[in-house]
Amino acid sequence: MTHTHAVVLREPERLSLETVALDPAGPEDAVVEVAYSGISTGTERLLYTGRMPAFPGMGYPLVPGYESVGRVVEAGPHSGLSVGQGVYVPGARCYGEIRGLFGGAAARLVSPGARLTPLPDAFLERPDGLAQGTLLALAATAWHAVAIADALPDLIVGHGALGRLIARIAVMKGHAPTVWETNPARAEGAVGYTVGHPADDETRGYRSIVDVSGDAGLLDTLISRLAPRGEVVLAGFYAERLSFSFPPAFMKEARIRVAAEWKRADLDATVSAVASGALSLDGLITHREDASEAARAYRTAFEDASCLKMILDWRRTR
């Protein structure tokens, strides 16, 4: 039986690098040698803390991760892929009895070829291109939040990696938004848009607000800043129940939209925009750790406000 090294979350806040069994590959599968995987500070934080709402298949132990990139080392005859191709991996379920939620944080994994996204040469040849592939899920999430809204965002709440990507996409489309950020450590780095503290912004009449803060208590504040028939797009992940006062929303005929998971079209559009140079992923990966230091890396990703994106380097862990 083939084995691989993987990050395993045995129970909330009990995480380590382990050797786990790897399912055999079938004719439609590809085996990927992972170079880098990202750590999500939204979904994976909820898994790590045990606050993830229950859903089918949820449970421990699990292998997290849906932001992996690597090279195909084995390609089944019906996988549609070739050995040597660089691919983005949105997760895998190939670890026997250990759940893959979402299963990308491993040195080697098996996945149906149809789930993998080949990365074009123009993407991989950019400086740090393969490592930046770990940002594709986040960038596709940002693309989806912008694409489903009625208008390009006038206000973005939160200047973490997701907020920056939404702002960059808006600028790419010819619109310069305002971004709110309360943490001074995250206020820098804007290009083509402005970042400020919400207490310093008296603006009313925003047509489109995109919230990526994950703060369930912000809706009343955001609705108060809307223009009539304006829209709030909820693009964060909210572990707590959301509520709002009805009369102000009624008076403005406010719309509240939830941006769900990105679709394949969002990912394809994002890959194309990055490959062409229209969308930059530079400056978003702020921290890197060898996969052998996974436990420390996860703590840093969740606790250090200066960490926009932490990635694990698997190249020395086979």
Side-chain angles (χ1 to χ4, degrees), residues 223-300:
I223 290 169
S224 74
R225 299 301 189 100
L226 282 176
R229 298 188 178 181
E231 179 178 63
V232 176
V233 177
L234 300 173
F237 196 94
Y238 305 85
E240 306 300 329
R241 189 178 189 88
L242 281 82
S243 63
F244 61 93
S245 175
F246 182 73
F250 171 82
M251 293 175 66
K252 291 190 175 182
E253 287 190 306
R255 293 187 294 275
I256 299 173
R257 187 189 299 266
V258 176
E261 186 179 17
W262 54 267
K263 310 303 181 187
R264 185 60 181 256
D266 302 310
L267 181 62
D268 291 343
T270 300
V271 171
S272 179
V274 174
S276 72
L279 177 63
S280 172
L281 301 180
D282 294 346
L284 298 177
I285 298 173
T286 55
H287 291 66
R288 304 176 190 229
E289 287 279 8
D290 190 88
S292 62
E293 300 294 340
R296 181 172 67 187
Y298 274 79
R299 288 193 298 271
T300 299

Side-chain angles (χ1 to χ4, degrees), residues 108-296:
R108 181 173 289 217
L109 52 80
V110 177
S111 172
R115 292 200 72 217
L116 306 178
T117 299
L119 300 177
D121 290 342
F123 188 110
L124 295 172
E125 290 167 359
R126 300 178 65 80
D128 213 22
L130 188 57
Q132 288 188 350
T134 59
L135 296 164
L136 282 174
L138 204 58
T141 299
W143 193 282
H144 185 72
V146 173
I148 66 168
D150 288 337
L152 290 171
D154 296 321
L155 174 64
I156 300 163
V157 183
H159 200 228
L162 182 56
R164 292 171 196 237
L165 283 163
I166 293 172
R168 291 181 187 189
I169 292 168
V171 170
M172 184 191 79
K173 293 178 177 289
H175 190 67
T178 295
V179 177
W180 283 356
E181 178 54 62
T182 59
N183 189 331
R186 293 196 168 190
E188 303 298 324
V191 178
Y193 59 94
T194 59
V195 180
H197 195 285
D200 299 326
D201 183 3
E202 299 180 357
T203 303
R204 298 290 191 275
Y206 287 118
R207 295 170 303 158
S208 178
I209 300 174
V210 179
D211 177 56
V212 296
S213 69
D215 185 346
L218 270 184
L219 263 178
D220 283 331
T221 297
L222 301 183
I223 290 169
S224 74
R225 299 301 189 100
L226 282 176
R229 298 188 178 181
E231 179 178 63
V232 176
V233 177
L234 300 173
F237 196 94
Y238 305 85
E240 306 300 329
R241 189 178 189 88
L242 281 82
S243 63
F244 61 93
S245 175
F246 182 73
F250 171 82
M251 293 175 66
K252 291 190 175 182
E253 287 190 306
R255 293 187 294 275
I256 299 173
R257 187 189 299 266
V258 176
E261 186 179 17
W262 54 267
K263 310 303 181 187
R264 185 60 181 256
D266 302 310
L267 181 62
D268 291 343
T270 300
V271 171
S272 179
V274 174
S276 72
L279 177 63
S280 172
L281 301 180
D282 294 346
L284 298 177
I285 298 173
T286 55
H287 291 66
R288 304 176 190 229
E289 287 279 8
D290 190 88
S292 62
E293 300 294 340
R296 181 172 67 187

